[in-house]
Amino acid sequence: FPGLADVSISQDIPVEGEITVPVGSHSPDEDCSTLDEPVKDTIMRDLKAVGKKFVHVMYPRKSSALLRDWDLWGPLVLCVSLALMLQGGSADSKDDGGPQFAEVFVIIWFGAVVITLNSKLLGGTISFFQSLCVLGYCVLPLTVAMLVCRLVLLAGAGTVSFIIRLIVVGAMFGWSTLASTAFLADSQPPNRKALVVYPIFLFYFVISWMILTFTPQ
Amino acid sequence: IACLVMYFFAEFDDAANLLAANPDATTISIDEPVEIPKNQQNRLQEPGREEDDELLGTDDSDKTELLAGQKKSAPFWTFEYYQTFFDVDTYQVLDRIKGSVFPVPGKNFVRLYIRSNPDLYGPFWICATLVFTIAVSGNLSNFFIHLGKPTYHYVPEFRKVSIAATTIYAYAWLVPLALWGFLMWRNSKVMNIVSYSFLEIVCVYGYSLFVYIPTAILWIIPQKVVRWVLVVFSLCLSGSVLVMTFWPAVRDDNRRIAVATVGTILLLHALLAVGCLAYFFDAPELDFPAPIIPAHNGTTVITKSH
């Protein structure tokens, strides 16, 4: 740069200023005192977080709370309760009955892991556990459907009850798929969205099928 | 260069189209190292690199190995290595599925659609869908067949899902493995013009199973004739995809071996279809409203079709 050839730095320019290190005015005193707080507070905090996520699932909006603070408590509770409610189905032989507890567990967790891997392999930007969290929490509508089905089956097992169950399970299946798609689809590259949404559809379809075909003794 | 061009020209049915579209393309490819373009498809107006890759990559087996090695350069313990197997867009997957359901006579599925970009998304999820479709359809069909019988009590038959999963995934992965091993062995004895990588064979098998999905749904119809017509029809469609893929790979070999190979491929495919039909779907009975018709002497209003 020709214009700067004759610029020389004077040796006696005073250097002034302030160097201050901002002191964290509110040092997080929670770190120190979560050990001291009563157990009830600790548990209630986690329960509130789980409950808030349940609400987010039932009314899916574009909130990032579900994604940011992931936890797997909710999915575990949902999975265990769904698997427990699917027990007690009738079977002449063990081979012909409904899914066993372990089978439901494996299907839900293994299915969620496979879908997460699939979306990551296709180039998604969501993290592994966030995706597991979303998929697990979105089983909530189907768990509600299972509860309703069991109640309806208490009243009778005829054609009317089947139609009611079909409608309820179908609606909850749609709700689950839409809720999880609302959370997960944004993190995918745009030309591969359908490739990521289809396995989620299949996953909830299989769970809905297990719920719909539950026949009590 | 001209000799190489003529060689490739002679080998490909659709080479004429591609060369007409881009006459300069082949010369460029031979001089420079070819990098595999990521999103290839059956489009003639794409720039020359894709055609070169198709001409070179799928014909010359050495180049196939080299180019395959160039593409999957990440070490196999990294995540990026496996991401290269999922490098497909929605329209590509849909095109590949369409190509497997409507096979064009004379066009090779691998050359036309896969073109050195084999993916594992299609085979894996088509197999998963097929597993659940067969299990659910079988269950539904049995329910409708036995509906109305006083002694019938519906069972979900969930154990059959794991059996279906084992069978279909074993077929979709072990048969390509065996076929690939066999083709490699024959390649060492007889120089074949066309050879496929393991992933391409898995890809063809996976996509060829797609036509069984609507077939399984239609198998709910409890008519024996309808079911067997469906078996034959779907076998023709998916079998033709397989035959048109693998015939060029074995036709230079000993005649008997070539025919035996293709015959075995078709036989295994047929066994899969017939086996699934027999195991998951109960035989429909000839007279439907059997309990309603008063039986004479209590004998056979229902005739079992075995």
Side-chain angles (χ1 to χ4, degrees):
Chain A
F1 299 112
L4 296 178
D6 49 1
V7 171
S8 63
I9 299 178
S10 153
Q11 300 298 332
D12 50 2
I13 294 180
V15 175
E16 310 186 333
E18 277 190 16
I19 302 178
T20 52
V21 176
V23 175
S25 54
H26 38 273
S27 56
D29 48 351
E30 298 133 8
D31 283 346
C32 309
S33 65
T34 52
L35 273 179
D36 297 337
E37 68 179 9
V39 172
K40 187 170 80 104
D41 281 356
T42 317
I43 295 180
M44 285 312 293
R45 188 170 50 234
D46 279 339
L47 278 181
K48 280 209 194 99
V50 169
K52 204 159 43 162
K53 291 203 191 66
F54 279 155
V55 170
H56 278 301
V57 168
M58 292 313 273
Y59 302 107
R61 278 164 309 192
K62 290 277 191 282
S63 87
S64 58
L66 198 67
L67 292 180
R68 212 177 35 225
D69 311 316
W70 61 266
D71 75 88
L72 292 179
W73 282 114
L76 181 67
V77 163
L78 288 173
C79 181
V80 167
S81 57
L82 186 62
L84 280 178
M85 283 196 278
L86 278 169
Q87 295 309 295
S90 74
D92 299 329
S93 77
K94 229 173 155 283
D95 284 344
D96 277 349
Q100 304 295 313
F101 183 92
E103 284 171 340
V104 177
F105 221 81
V106 161
I107 283 187
I108 291 184
W109 286 102
F110 185 64
V113 165
V114 164
I115 293 177
T116 307
L117 277 180
N118 175 66
S119 80
K120 285 192 77 73
L121 284 169
L122 282 169
T125 53
I126 201 170
S127 97
F128 183 76
F129 285 107
Q130 281 174 345
S131 173
L132 276 188
C133 169
V134 169
L135 287 169
Y137 269 102
C138 289
V139 173
L140 175 67
L142 287 170
T143 310
V144 169
M146 183 73 218
L147 200 57
V148 170
C149 280
R150 278 214 94 146
L151 291 176
V152 168
L153 279 170
L154 281 180
T159 313
V160 172
S161 103
F162 175 72
I163 294 188
I164 298 178
R165 281 185 290 141
L166 182 64
I167 294 177
V168 167
V169 171
M172 292 301 164
F173 160 64
W175 199 335
S176 282
T177 311
L178 284 175
S180 60
T181 310
F183 287 115
L184 290 178
D186 285 339
S187 62
Q188 303 304 320
N191 48 347
R192 295 181 182 182
K193 278 213 165 79
L195 295 184
V196 171
V197 168
Y198 171 70
I200 299 178
F201 169 86
L202 187 64
F203 175 62
Y204 289 123
F205 179 79
V206 170
I207 299 180
S208 314
W209 177 256
M210 288 196 295
I211 293 175
L212 190 60
T213 60
F214 174 76
T215 44
Q217 295 209 336
Chain B
I1 290 177
C3 293
L4 275 168
V5 169
M6 294 308 293
Y7 170 70
F8 293 136
F9 196 98
E11 282 303 312
F12 284 87
D13 344 341
D14 48 352
N17 297 336
L18 299 166
L19 281 177
N22 265 316
D24 310 324
T26 43
T27 52
I28 298 175
S29 72
I30 292 169
D31 293 333
E32 303 171 51
V34 178
E35 49 183 5
I36 313 287
K38 285 294 178 176
N39 298 324
Q40 317 179 26
Q41 249 313 306
N42 191 14
R43 292 178 181 182
L44 296 179
Q45 54 269 34
E46 297 221 41
R49 288 274 166 103
E50 281 90 51
E51 283 87 339
D52 313 332
D53 181 53
E54 196 238 350
L55 291 173
L56 295 170
T58 54
D59 193 51
D60 191 302
S61 57
D62 293 341
K63 278 278 173 136
T64 310
E65 301 296 308
L66 185 65
L67 293 173
Q70 272 187 335
K71 180 180 181 185
K72 296 153 179 39
S73 56
F76 69 89
W77 56 83
T78 59
F79 193 68
E80 285 71 29
Y81 177 73
Y82 298 101
Q83 265 185 324
T84 56
F85 302 139
F86 283 78
D87 198 12
V88 279
D89 290 339
T90 309
Y91 74 89
Q92 285 178 302
V93 173
L94 290 176
D95 274 342
R96 290 175 186 192
I97 290 178
K98 222 168 26 175
S100 78
V101 177
F102 305 117
V104 180
K107 297 280 174 112
N108 187 332
F109 181 78
V110 174
R111 268 197 241 143
L112 205 56
Y113 290 102
I114 299 191
R115 283 204 190 180
S116 300
N117 188 22
D119 70 301
L120 286 181
Y121 177 90
F124 183 79
W125 287 109
I126 290 178
C127 288
T129 311
L130 186 61
V131 164
F132 289 112
T133 308
I134 285 189
V136 168
S137 302
N139 202 236
L140 270 180
S141 132
N142 292 349
F143 172 69
F144 286 130
I145 285 179
H146 299 298
L147 188 62
K149 290 217 202 98
T151 54
Y152 176 67
H153 186 75
Y154 170 75
V155 284
E157 292 176 321
F158 196 77
R159 201 50 57 100
K160 290 197 171 172
V161 171
S162 22
I163 297 174
T166 315
T167 313
I168 288 173
Y169 274 100
Y171 177 81
W173 290 85
L174 294 182
V175 171
L177 186 65
L179 186 62
W180 174 75
F182 176 76
L183 287 178
M184 286 293 118
W185 174 59
R186 294 310 299 175
N187 239 359
S188 64
K189 300 208 163 177
V190 175
M191 189 55 211
N192 277 323
I193 307 292
V194 178
S195 78
Y196 299 116
S197 71
F198 171 62
L199 282 172
E200 284 168 347
I201 301 184
V202 166
C203 225
V204 174
Y205 263 88
Y207 280 104
S208 74
L209 284 177
F210 178 81
V211 77
Y212 285 149
I213 294 177
T215 309
I217 296 177
L218 288 176
W219 273 342
I220 297 179
I221 301 174
Q223 299 292 331
K224 238 188 159 169
V225 172
V226 170
R227 286 183 178 179
W228 280 101
V229 162
L230 283 169
V231 168
V232 169
F233 186 63
S234 60
L235 195 58
C236 284
L237 277 182
S238 59
S240 67
V241 171
L242 290 177
V243 165
M244 283 193 291
T245 303
F246 291 111
W247 180 249
V250 291
R251 71 177 161 212
D252 299 313
D253 207 341
N254 183 356
R255 193 81 192 177
R256 281 203 205 148
I257 293 189
V259 172
T261 309
V262 175
T264 313
I265 293 176
L266 284 178
L267 185 66
L268 286 173
H269 216 61
L271 269 180
L272 181 76
V274 172
C276 283
L277 178 63
Y279 184 71
F280 292 100
F281 295 81
D282 285 349
E285 311 186 348
L286 290 182
D287 297 324
F288 256 95
I292 304 175
I293 300 176
H296 302 268
N297 317 326
T299 51
T300 54
V301 175
I302 304 167
T303 48
K304 283 259 186 223
S305 52
H306 271 297

